[in-house]
Amino acid sequence: MRLNEKKQLIIAHIIIAIYLLPLLILGENAHIRVHDNLDSNIAWYKVLSESGQMFGSISATIPQVINGLPRNALGTEYSIIVWLYHLFPTMLAYFLSQAISRFVAFWGMYLLLKKHFILQREWTFINVWVALAFALTPFWPSGMLSTLGMPLALWAFLNIRNRERSWKNYVALTLLPLYSSFVLGFFFFLAAVGLLWLVDLLRGRGVNFRFLLSIVYMTVLYMLVEYRLVSSFLFSTEPNSRDEYFHARLPLWRVIRLTFKNFILGHTHVMTVHGLVILPVLLLALYIIFIRKLWKKEKAFWILLVINFVLSTWYAFWFYKGWYPLTVRFHVLDTFNFARFHFLRPLIIYLGFALGLKIMFEHITLKPIVHFFLVAQIILLFAFNDEIIHHTKPTVKQFYAEELFQNIKDYIGLPVEDYRVASIGIHPAISQYNGFYTLDTYNNFYPLTYKYTFRKIIENELAKNKNIRTYFDEWGGRCYLFTDELGKHYMFKKNSKQKLKNLELNTEAFKEMGGRFLFSAIPIKNAEENHLQLEKTFTNKDAAWKIYLYKAR
């Protein structure tokens, strides 16, 4: 390795460390993603850690949530991220998880580019800085290496495909299932790698048993690690909330619009931030190929570009209403989200970025423009740092407001297991994080019978508002106390002027489920009509919320 390359690698590591520094310095005062993060996963890890059911049986339940959330809904105990949150304070665990994911992402993409895509030493800088850019993408935190680990896995698979026998390949394939999700990334990745093996076979490259067995090996490992998911999906006979998930609703014109939206802007769970810098590079490289007739030489680039667009098209068409007859006949098309093949796009987009820069460097006179695009993308990704992009949201400390909820707990003065609570205007994950037993929750897998029972509490509110009715009835992952006046808004800060004036809850149904207290982030003006009594209002300087504590009469 040349000294210059070593220096670049050192600088890249320093930049990743700088990117992560706010999490380490600010701790609970840091701003991080709320959606599918603070409002769910982080609270789930804490609930699981404190439940005593880390190694619970596949039929075990966690009574703190919905009077008995299936243990299987909170994932496998063989995931490293679960143990990070079990062993360390929340924000230290979050920092460590981010660091692991980003450094593995960097090395995976760097090794993949250097070994299989851009081999020439004079283009080392492209490999290093594209790998750095890939590592700085604002990925979904609880996805871990589900997308960011794909370059490392592809590097290992391509090595094995080329009949390389290094132990490093198998170490990578063995460790990745412990820090990634099968259904949130690697199911689709392994399907794509399996397709590559089949293409090799059809093109006369032979069976390549070692390559095939490596794919089977990693798949089996995922089945073992995620045995709870396998058990729930294949062997559970009890109907669950996913049985009423309905996705095929969009007309053709909206599907076409969604195709281009996804192609240009990406998706929240696999954000690539590619529209402003990378997409122009891809289009400029395609123009160079077209003008100079480089189709054969740059085959890898344009094939990746085509796959990129096909994946966006597939994602959008998954929601096309024309699927409806098939979803009725084949229930798995509703319960399993096959649209997630687009989770392959971060890998494909950044491979295309590297190849596009190489094409430009070869065929344009103004070489520094390649460096400009690399620097511009890294600066852009820094602008998407959590501390910047989420600065208007509550900090972690403000969001979970532990002191505030401890005050509520002390005021109620009863063991938390003796009563149930629910929330209005804030996420139930906040109550769960603070140890309360909640009737409401955000989970994608819970008994369908519970959904129907909970629905009785809010049936009058759902009847008033088609938007929340469709959201609850045809998905139901957010089992919340929805109201017509608030709609799908769950974060009313303590300075909010919002009030509930026409609330219609079935308080009897709430009480029958064990409900005794409501935590409302806004005042309920017609509380008496709902048989609710305001007990006390709670707030403090470190909390984002003002909680109106109502007791069911």
Side-chain angles (χ1 to χ4, degrees):
M1 187 183 291
R2 294 183 304 172
L3 180 62
N4 184 44
E5 186 175 9
K6 288 182 180 178
K7 286 182 178 179
Q8 291 183 58
L9 289 171
I10 291 170
I11 293 170
H13 282 71
I14 292 171
I15 291 174
I16 295 174
I18 292 171
Y19 187 92
L20 293 168
L21 209 52
L23 293 174
L24 191 61
I25 293 174
L26 297 175
E28 287 189 333
N29 294 312
H31 296 84
I32 64 175
R33 175 182 174 133
V34 173
H35 176 61
D36 285 350
N37 194 36
L38 284 174
D39 69 352
S40 48
N41 294 81
I42 292 179
W44 298 347
Y45 300 137
K46 191 168 189 288
V47 167
L48 177 60
S49 176
E50 297 176 353
S51 69
Q53 292 293 337
M54 184 78 82
F55 292 96
S57 70
I58 58 174
S59 60
T61 59
I62 296 176
Q64 186 187 341
V65 183
I66 66 169
N67 287 329
L69 179 73
R71 164 63 186 86
N72 292 356
L74 297 186
T76 178
E77 62 270 35
Y78 299 116
S79 171
I80 294 173
I81 195 170
V82 167
W83 284 98
L84 287 177
Y85 282 90
H86 183 69
L87 296 172
F88 301 106
T90 295
M91 285 311 293
L92 179 55
Y94 190 85
F95 166 77
L96 291 173
S97 180
Q98 286 276 316
I100 291 168
S101 299
R102 295 191 185 281
F103 282 112
V104 172
F106 172 81
W107 277 101
M109 181 60 78
Y110 170 72
L111 292 172
L112 176 63
L113 289 171
K114 181 178 180 179
K115 184 77 175 284
H116 297 287
F117 286 88
I118 302 179
L119 281 59
Q120 295 88 338
R121 296 175 69 86
E122 61 267 28
W123 295 327
T124 290
F125 74 96
I126 293 178
N127 295 339
V128 174
W129 301 107
V130 169
L132 173 61
F134 178 75
L136 296 181
T137 54
F139 68 101
W140 175 49
S142 289
M144 305 161 287
L145 293 174
S146 301
T147 54
L148 294 190
M150 288 182 185
L152 183 62
L154 184 56
W155 167 79
F157 277 125
L158 292 180
N159 291 342
I160 296 168
R161 178 183 181 232
N162 293 338
R163 294 175 168 78
E164 180 185 298
R165 300 196 174 201
S166 173
W167 58 270
K168 297 176 183 177
N169 302 321
Y170 298 98
V171 169
L173 299 185
T174 301
L175 294 181
L176 280 169
L178 300 176
Y179 205 67
S180 59
S181 167
F182 190 52
V183 296
L184 296 173
F186 269 89
F187 170 86
F188 311 100
F189 175 83
L190 288 167
V193 175
L195 183 60
L196 176 61
W197 173 85
L198 182 60
V199 169
D200 284 349
L201 180 65
L202 296 176
R203 293 179 62 187
R205 293 190 59 172
V207 177
N208 199 340
F209 280 110
R210 191 178 296 274
F211 183 30
L212 176 61
L213 289 175
S214 68
I215 300 170
V216 173
Y217 170 71
M218 194 178 198
T219 303
V220 171
L221 275 181
Y222 271 110
M223 296 294 99
L224 295 174
V225 169
E226 302 201 26
Y227 73 98
R228 294 183 182 276
L229 173 70
V230 174
S231 173
S232 299
F233 190 75
L234 297 181
F235 305 116
S236 177
T237 56
E238 181 183 12
N240 63 76
S241 57
R242 290 200 67 82
D243 289 326
E244 288 193 337
Y245 172 58
F246 179 72
H247 63 88
R249 65 174 71 256
L250 296 185
L252 184 61
W253 72 269
R254 287 189 62 187
V255 167
I256 295 171
R257 185 180 70 176
L258 184 58
T259 297
F260 286 94
K261 179 183 177 182
N262 183 261
F263 182 72
I264 296 169
L265 299 178
H267 186 276
T268 180
H269 284 150
V270 283
M271 288 187 69
T272 46
V273 195
H274 66 278
L276 194 61
V277 175
I278 295 179
L279 189 57
V281 168
L282 300 181
L283 296 177
L284 281 169
L286 184 63
Y287 175 75
I288 292 170
I289 290 172
F290 177 78
I291 292 297
R292 307 207 174 189
K293 297 181 173 56
L294 302 172
W295 300 105
K296 187 173 181 180
K297 181 183 176 184
E298 303 299 345
K299 186 177 180 181
F301 172 84
W302 63 261
I303 286 178
L304 286 172
L305 189 57
V306 169
I307 293 173
N308 185 6
F309 187 78
V310 167
L311 289 174
S312 286
T313 305
W314 170 256
Y315 164 75
F317 268 86
W318 183 249
F319 301 98
Y320 177 48
K321 63 182 181 181
W323 279 102
Y324 180 71
L326 283 175
T327 62
V328 171
R329 186 170 181 182
F330 303 103
H331 189 49
V332 69
L333 296 179
D334 268 335
T335 57
F336 191 85
N337 190 353
F338 287 96
R340 288 177 177 153
F341 272 103
H342 78 101
F343 281 16
L344 295 168
R345 292 188 69 230
L347 167 65
I348 290 167
I349 287 170
Y350 277 83
L351 284 177
F353 184 38
L355 292 174
L357 291 171
K358 184 208 70 153
I359 292 167
M360 291 175 62
F361 197 80
E362 278 187 293
H363 297 283
I364 62 174
T365 305
L366 195 61
K367 308 292 186 187
I369 197 171
V370 172
H371 300 87
F372 166 79
F373 280 122
L374 281 168
V375 173
Q377 181 63 17
I378 290 168
I379 291 174
L380 180 62
L381 289 165
F382 257 85
F384 275 77
N385 185 290
D386 275 2
E387 197 56 44
I388 296 173
I389 205 73
H390 299 301
H391 74 279
T392 59
K393 298 291 194 297
T395 65
V396 177
K397 185 175 184 178
Q398 292 169 339
F399 185 86
Y400 286 126
E402 292 181 74
E403 183 181 339
L404 176 70
F405 280 87
Q406 183 61 50
N407 292 340
I408 297 174
K409 197 179 294 183
D410 293 340
Y411 175 83
I412 294 173
L414 298 171
V416 288
E417 63 270 18
D418 287 354
Y419 60 92
R420 302 293 182 267
V421 306
S423 302
I424 293 177
I426 58 170
H427 295 284
I430 299 170
S431 300
Q432 291 169 5
Y433 188 90
N434 284 286
F436 288 96
Y437 283 53
T438 70
L439 294 178
D440 47 354
T441 193
Y442 177 15
N443 286 101
N444 284 329
F445 178 81
Y446 63 92
L448 192 59
T449 52
Y450 186 87
K451 178 181 173 182
Y452 293 158
T453 304
F454 186 89
R455 192 187 192 282
K456 294 177 184 178
I457 304 173
I458 55 173
E459 58 186 353
N460 293 330
E461 292 296 317
L462 296 182
K464 299 183 212 174
N465 188 313
K466 182 181 178 182
N467 190 30
I468 59 173
R469 183 170 67 251
T470 300
Y471 189 62
F472 183 84
D473 288 346
E474 297 184 7
W475 181 50
R478 292 193 189 273
C479 191
Y480 284 22
L481 290 183
F482 288 110
T483 70
D484 170 48
E485 293 170 86
L486 303 185
K488 288 160 51 177
H489 297 282
Y490 333 110
M491 286 178 52
F492 291 89
K493 297 180 184 179
K494 57 188 174 185
N495 58 357
S496 172
K497 303 300 181 184
Q498 182 75 37
K499 296 179 178 64
L500 276 172
K501 301 176 182 177
N502 300 299
L503 182 65
E504 291 185 66
L505 293 183
N506 185 338
T507 310
E508 283 304 312
F510 176 68
K511 289 164 62 179
E512 286 172 9
M513 298 175 72
R516 290 186 66 180
F517 296 98
L518 281 183
F519 298 162
S520 180
I522 56 177
I524 301 173
K525 305 305 289 183
N526 64 335
E528 286 291 323
E529 295 175 25
N530 287 275
H531 306 288
L532 298 172
Q533 176 180 316
L534 178 63
E535 291 282 298
K536 190 176 179 180
T537 303
F538 295 84
T539 188
N540 70 29
K541 61 182 179 61
D542 293 324
W545 330 109
K546 183 177 185 179
I547 300 299
Y548 297 82
L549 177 65
Y550 291 93
K551 184 176 182 179
R553 290 192 285 106

mmCIF file of all heavy atoms in Angstrom, residues 347-375:
data_model
loop_
_atom_site.group_PDB
_atom_site.id
_atom_site.type_symbol
_atom_site.label_atom_id
_atom_site.label_comp_id
_atom_site.label_asym_id
_atom_site.label_seq_id
_atom_site.Cartn_x
_atom_site.Cartn_y
_atom_site.Cartn_z
ATOM 1 N N LEU A 347 -26.075 0.441 -2.093
ATOM 2 C CA LEU A 347 -24.906 -0.257 -2.648
ATOM 3 C C LEU A 347 -24.741 0.067 -4.114
ATOM 4 O O LEU A 347 -23.636 0.433 -4.569
ATOM 5 C CB LEU A 347 -25.090 -1.765 -2.451
ATOM 6 C CG LEU A 347 -24.136 -2.689 -3.218
ATOM 7 C CD1 LEU A 347 -22.709 -2.502 -2.730
ATOM 8 C CD2 LEU A 347 -24.576 -4.147 -3.074
ATOM 9 N N ILE A 348 -25.813 -0.020 -4.874
ATOM 10 C CA ILE A 348 -25.747 0.169 -6.323
ATOM 11 C C ILE A 348 -25.446 1.624 -6.678
ATOM 12 O O ILE A 348 -24.650 1.905 -7.575
ATOM 13 C CB ILE A 348 -27.063 -0.309 -6.964
ATOM 14 C CG1 ILE A 348 -27.142 -1.839 -6.872
ATOM 15 C CG2 ILE A 348 -27.189 0.149 -8.401
ATOM 16 C CD1 ILE A 348 -28.498 -2.408 -7.182
ATOM 17 N N ILE A 349 -26.065 2.560 -5.961
ATOM 18 C CA ILE A 349 -25.854 3.979 -6.253
ATOM 19 C C ILE A 349 -24.398 4.374 -6.031
ATOM 20 O O ILE A 349 -23.789 5.074 -6.858
ATOM 21 C CB ILE A 349 -26.800 4.850 -5.409
ATOM 22 C CG1 ILE A 349 -28.227 4.736 -5.950
ATOM 23 C CG2 ILE A 349 -26.349 6.308 -5.384
ATOM 24 C CD1 ILE A 349 -29.271 5.370 -5.053
ATOM 25 N N TYR A 350 -23.797 3.918 -4.930
ATOM 26 C CA TYR A 350 -22.427 4.340 -4.634
ATOM 27 C C TYR A 350 -21.396 3.576 -5.468
ATOM 28 O O TYR A 350 -20.323 4.118 -5.768
ATOM 29 C CB TYR A 350 -22.152 4.239 -3.133
ATOM 30 C CG TYR A 350 -22.667 5.482 -2.423
ATOM 31 C CD1 TYR A 350 -24.003 5.584 -2.060
ATOM 32 C CD2 TYR A 350 -21.836 6.569 -2.192
ATOM 33 C CE1 TYR A 350 -24.494 6.738 -1.451
ATOM 34 C CE2 TYR A 350 -22.307 7.720 -1.584
ATOM 35 C CZ TYR A 350 -23.637 7.804 -1.220
ATOM 36 O OH TYR A 350 -24.120 8.960 -0.640
ATOM 37 N N LEU A 351 -21.706 2.352 -5.889
ATOM 38 C CA LEU A 351 -20.854 1.693 -6.882
ATOM 39 C C LEU A 351 -20.899 2.463 -8.190
ATOM 40 O O LEU A 351 -19.864 2.689 -8.848
ATOM 41 C CB LEU A 351 -21.315 0.247 -7.103
ATOM 42 C CG LEU A 351 -20.975 -0.782 -6.031
ATOM 43 C CD1 LEU A 351 -21.571 -2.142 -6.397
ATOM 44 C CD2 LEU A 351 -19.461 -0.907 -5.853
ATOM 45 N N GLY A 352 -22.102 2.870 -8.587
ATOM 46 C CA GLY A 352 -22.250 3.664 -9.807
ATOM 47 C C GLY A 352 -21.532 5.002 -9.710
ATOM 48 O O GLY A 352 -20.935 5.474 -10.683
ATOM 49 N N PHE A 353 -21.576 5.617 -8.531
ATOM 50 C CA PHE A 353 -20.872 6.878 -8.300
ATOM 51 C C PHE A 353 -19.378 6.719 -8.543
ATOM 52 O O PHE A 353 -18.747 7.528 -9.240
ATOM 53 C CB PHE A 353 -21.151 7.328 -6.866
ATOM 54 C CG PHE A 353 -20.581 8.668 -6.495
ATOM 55 C CD1 PHE A 353 -20.562 9.726 -7.388
ATOM 56 C CD2 PHE A 353 -20.078 8.881 -5.208
ATOM 57 C CE1 PHE A 353 -20.047 10.967 -7.025
ATOM 58 C CE2 PHE A 353 -19.561 10.107 -4.835
ATOM 59 C CZ PHE A 353 -19.545 11.155 -5.745
ATOM 60 N N ALA A 354 -18.800 5.660 -7.987
ATOM 61 C CA ALA A 354 -17.363 5.414 -8.165
ATOM 62 C C ALA A 354 -17.025 5.174 -9.629
ATOM 63 O O ALA A 354 -16.064 5.755 -10.164
ATOM 64 C CB ALA A 354 -16.935 4.214 -7.321
ATOM 65 N N LEU A 355 -17.805 4.340 -10.291
ATOM 66 C CA LEU A 355 -17.527 4.050 -11.705
ATOM 67 C C LEU A 355 -17.757 5.276 -12.569
ATOM 68 O O LEU A 355 -17.027 5.514 -13.543
ATOM 69 C CB LEU A 355 -18.406 2.890 -12.172
ATOM 70 C CG LEU A 355 -18.082 1.517 -11.544
ATOM 71 C CD1 LEU A 355 -19.105 0.485 -11.981
ATOM 72 C CD2 LEU A 355 -16.670 1.073 -11.924
ATOM 73 N N GLY A 356 -18.763 6.059 -12.237
ATOM 74 C CA GLY A 356 -19.024 7.284 -12.985
ATOM 75 C C GLY A 356 -17.880 8.277 -12.869
ATOM 76 O O GLY A 356 -17.483 8.916 -13.858
ATOM 77 N N LEU A 357 -17.323 8.418 -11.669
ATOM 78 C CA LEU A 357 -16.179 9.313 -11.475
ATOM 79 C C LEU A 357 -14.958 8.817 -12.247
ATOM 80 O O LEU A 357 -14.197 9.614 -12.818
ATOM 81 C CB LEU A 357 -15.849 9.418 -9.987
ATOM 82 C CG LEU A 357 -16.871 10.161 -9.120
ATOM 83 C CD1 LEU A 357 -16.529 10.009 -7.642
ATOM 84 C CD2 LEU A 357 -16.944 11.640 -9.499
ATOM 85 N N LYS A 358 -14.779 7.510 -12.271
ATOM 86 C CA LYS A 358 -13.654 6.941 -13.020
ATOM 87 C C LYS A 358 -13.798 7.244 -14.515
ATOM 88 O O LYS A 358 -12.831 7.630 -15.205
ATOM 89 C CB LYS A 358 -13.594 5.434 -12.806
ATOM 90 C CG LYS A 358 -12.388 4.755 -13.460
ATOM 91 C CD LYS A 358 -12.669 3.319 -13.813
ATOM 92 C CE LYS A 358 -13.650 3.258 -14.970
ATOM 93 N NZ LYS A 358 -13.573 2.074 -15.817
ATOM 94 N N ILE A 359 -15.014 7.089 -15.041
ATOM 95 C CA ILE A 359 -15.270 7.385 -16.456
ATOM 96 C C ILE A 359 -14.996 8.850 -16.752
ATOM 97 O O ILE A 359 -14.352 9.196 -17.760
ATOM 98 C CB ILE A 359 -16.724 7.013 -16.819
ATOM 99 C CG1 ILE A 359 -16.913 5.492 -16.767
ATOM 100 C CG2 ILE A 359 -17.104 7.541 -18.192
ATOM 101 C CD1 ILE A 359 -18.361 5.054 -16.799
ATOM 102 N N MET A 360 -15.436 9.722 -15.868
ATOM 103 C CA MET A 360 -15.195 11.152 -16.058
ATOM 104 C C MET A 360 -13.708 11.461 -16.004
ATOM 105 O O MET A 360 -13.194 12.250 -16.812
ATOM 106 C CB MET A 360 -15.954 11.954 -14.995
ATOM 107 C CG MET A 360 -17.467 11.933 -15.152
ATOM 108 S SD MET A 360 -18.312 12.784 -13.799
ATOM 109 C CE MET A 360 -17.674 14.438 -13.987
ATOM 110 N N PHE A 361 -13.000 10.870 -15.052
ATOM 111 C CA PHE A 361 -11.571 11.134 -14.897
ATOM 112 C C PHE A 361 -10.793 10.704 -16.148
ATOM 113 O O PHE A 361 -9.807 11.341 -16.534
ATOM 114 C CB PHE A 361 -11.039 10.394 -13.667
ATOM 115 C CG PHE A 361 -9.711 10.903 -13.201
ATOM 116 C CD1 PHE A 361 -9.627 12.053 -12.436
ATOM 117 C CD2 PHE A 361 -8.538 10.231 -13.517
ATOM 118 C CE1 PHE A 361 -8.405 12.530 -12.001
ATOM 119 C CE2 PHE A 361 -7.306 10.704 -13.082
ATOM 120 C CZ PHE A 361 -7.243 11.865 -12.323
ATOM 121 N N GLU A 362 -11.255 9.638 -16.780
ATOM 122 C CA GLU A 362 -10.596 9.126 -17.982
ATOM 123 C C GLU A 362 -10.860 9.989 -19.215
ATOM 124 O O GLU A 362 -10.002 10.101 -20.092
ATOM 125 C CB GLU A 362 -11.080 7.702 -18.277
ATOM 126 C CG GLU A 362 -10.392 6.618 -17.488
ATOM 127 C CD GLU A 362 -10.811 5.243 -17.983
ATOM 128 O OE1 GLU A 362 -11.996 4.892 -17.812
ATOM 129 O OE2 GLU A 362 -9.957 4.524 -18.540
ATOM 130 N N HIS A 363 -12.037 10.593 -19.289
ATOM 131 C CA HIS A 363 -12.485 11.133 -20.575
ATOM 132 C C HIS A 363 -12.781 12.632 -20.578
ATOM 133 O O HIS A 363 -13.285 13.144 -21.585
ATOM 134 C CB HIS A 363 -13.732 10.374 -21.037
ATOM 135 C CG HIS A 363 -13.480 8.917 -21.284
ATOM 136 N ND1 HIS A 363 -12.844 8.449 -22.416
ATOM 137 C CD2 HIS A 363 -13.772 7.822 -20.543
ATOM 138 C CE1 HIS A 363 -12.763 7.130 -22.365
ATOM 139 N NE2 HIS A 363 -13.304 6.726 -21.238
ATOM 140 N N ILE A 364 -12.487 13.340 -19.479
ATOM 141 C CA ILE A 364 -12.674 14.787 -19.521
ATOM 142 C C ILE A 364 -11.334 15.470 -19.295
ATOM 143 O O ILE A 364 -10.429 14.914 -18.661
ATOM 144 C CB ILE A 364 -13.702 15.279 -18.474
ATOM 145 C CG1 ILE A 364 -13.222 14.967 -17.053
ATOM 146 C CG2 ILE A 364 -15.072 14.684 -18.723
ATOM 147 C CD1 ILE A 364 -14.112 15.540 -15.981
ATOM 148 N N THR A 365 -11.213 16.666 -19.799
ATOM 149 C CA THR A 365 -9.965 17.422 -19.685
ATOM 150 C C THR A 365 -9.819 18.024 -18.297
ATOM 151 O O THR A 365 -8.734 18.050 -17.725
ATOM 152 C CB THR A 365 -9.923 18.545 -20.733
ATOM 153 O OG1 THR A 365 -10.130 17.972 -22.034
ATOM 154 C CG2 THR A 365 -8.591 19.270 -20.709
ATOM 155 N N LEU A 366 -10.938 18.474 -17.744
ATOM 156 C CA LEU A 366 -10.912 19.164 -16.461
ATOM 157 C C LEU A 366 -10.968 18.138 -15.324
ATOM 158 O O LEU A 366 -12.012 17.866 -14.741
ATOM 159 C CB LEU A 366 -12.100 20.137 -16.373
ATOM 160 C CG LEU A 366 -12.062 21.205 -15.280
ATOM 161 C CD1 LEU A 366 -10.848 22.120 -15.446
ATOM 162 C CD2 LEU A 366 -13.354 22.013 -15.282
ATOM 163 N N LYS A 367 -9.806 17.546 -15.006
ATOM 164 C CA LYS A 367 -9.747 16.483 -14.000
ATOM 165 C C LYS A 367 -10.209 16.917 -12.599
ATOM 166 O O LYS A 367 -10.844 16.129 -11.886
ATOM 167 C CB LYS A 367 -8.323 15.925 -13.876
ATOM 168 C CG LYS A 367 -7.686 15.501 -15.197
ATOM 169 C CD LYS A 367 -8.361 14.295 -15.789
ATOM 170 C CE LYS A 367 -7.602 13.821 -17.036
ATOM 171 N NZ LYS A 367 -8.309 12.750 -17.754
ATOM 172 N N PRO A 368 -9.895 18.135 -12.152
ATOM 173 C CA PRO A 368 -10.286 18.529 -10.786
ATOM 174 C C PRO A 368 -11.782 18.464 -10.515
ATOM 175 O O PRO A 368 -12.194 18.434 -9.349
ATOM 176 C CB PRO A 368 -9.773 19.977 -10.682
ATOM 177 C CG PRO A 368 -8.624 20.039 -11.644
ATOM 178 C CD PRO A 368 -9.046 19.166 -12.785
ATOM 179 N N ILE A 369 -12.615 18.421 -11.558
ATOM 180 C CA ILE A 369 -14.062 18.364 -11.327
ATOM 181 C C ILE A 369 -14.450 17.066 -10.626
ATOM 182 O O ILE A 369 -15.426 17.009 -9.880
ATOM 183 C CB ILE A 369 -14.845 18.531 -12.655
ATOM 184 C CG1 ILE A 369 -16.299 18.880 -12.339
ATOM 185 C CG2 ILE A 369 -14.761 17.273 -13.513
ATOM 186 C CD1 ILE A 369 -17.113 19.282 -13.548
ATOM 187 N N VAL A 370 -13.642 16.011 -10.842
ATOM 188 C CA VAL A 370 -13.901 14.738 -10.154
ATOM 189 C C VAL A 370 -13.706 14.926 -8.653
ATOM 190 O O VAL A 370 -14.518 14.470 -7.842
ATOM 191 C CB VAL A 370 -12.980 13.629 -10.706
ATOM 192 C CG1 VAL A 370 -13.110 12.369 -9.877
ATOM 193 C CG2 VAL A 370 -13.303 13.351 -12.168
ATOM 194 N N HIS A 371 -12.622 15.612 -8.275
ATOM 195 C CA HIS A 371 -12.383 15.891 -6.866
ATOM 196 C C HIS A 371 -13.490 16.783 -6.300
ATOM 197 O O HIS A 371 -13.911 16.609 -5.146
ATOM 198 C CB HIS A 371 -11.021 16.564 -6.685
ATOM 199 C CG HIS A 371 -9.869 15.736 -7.157
ATOM 200 N ND1 HIS A 371 -9.422 15.759 -8.469
ATOM 201 C CD2 HIS A 371 -9.083 14.845 -6.495
ATOM 202 C CE1 HIS A 371 -8.399 14.936 -8.586
ATOM 203 N NE2 HIS A 371 -8.177 14.362 -7.406
ATOM 204 N N PHE A 372 -13.953 17.716 -7.112
ATOM 205 C CA PHE A 372 -15.035 18.601 -6.665
ATOM 206 C C PHE A 372 -16.279 17.803 -6.310
ATOM 207 O O PHE A 372 -16.900 18.024 -5.262
ATOM 208 C CB PHE A 372 -15.364 19.624 -7.766
ATOM 209 C CG PHE A 372 -16.672 20.342 -7.538
ATOM 210 C CD1 PHE A 372 -16.745 21.389 -6.634
ATOM 211 C CD2 PHE A 372 -17.827 19.952 -8.206
ATOM 212 C CE1 PHE A 372 -17.948 22.044 -6.406
ATOM 213 C CE2 PHE A 372 -19.030 20.595 -7.990
ATOM 214 C CZ PHE A 372 -19.090 21.645 -7.082
ATOM 215 N N PHE A 373 -16.677 16.866 -7.171
ATOM 216 C CA PHE A 373 -17.874 16.056 -6.904
ATOM 217 C C PHE A 373 -17.716 15.227 -5.628
ATOM 218 O O PHE A 373 -18.658 15.089 -4.844
ATOM 219 C CB PHE A 373 -18.175 15.153 -8.095
ATOM 220 C CG PHE A 373 -18.890 15.839 -9.224
ATOM 221 C CD1 PHE A 373 -18.337 15.877 -10.497
ATOM 222 C CD2 PHE A 373 -20.119 16.444 -9.023
ATOM 223 C CE1 PHE A 373 -19.002 16.509 -11.545
ATOM 224 C CE2 PHE A 373 -20.792 17.089 -10.067
ATOM 225 C CZ PHE A 373 -20.226 17.119 -11.323
ATOM 226 N N LEU A 374 -16.526 14.668 -5.414
ATOM 227 C CA LEU A 374 -16.291 13.885 -4.203
ATOM 228 C C LEU A 374 -16.408 14.753 -2.946
ATOM 229 O O LEU A 374 -17.099 14.385 -1.986
ATOM 230 C CB LEU A 374 -14.908 13.238 -4.259
ATOM 231 C CG LEU A 374 -14.776 11.975 -5.103
ATOM 232 C CD1 LEU A 374 -13.301 11.630 -5.311
ATOM 233 C CD2 LEU A 374 -15.502 10.810 -4.436
ATOM 234 N N VAL A 375 -15.746 15.896 -2.962
ATOM 235 C CA VAL A 375 -15.783 16.799 -1.808
ATOM 236 C C VAL A 375 -17.204 17.319 -1.585
ATOM 237 O O VAL A 375 -17.682 17.391 -0.444
ATOM 238 C CB VAL A 375 -14.800 17.967 -2.005
ATOM 239 C CG1 VAL A 375 -14.963 19.011 -0.894
ATOM 240 C CG2 VAL A 375 -13.363 17.456 -2.027
#
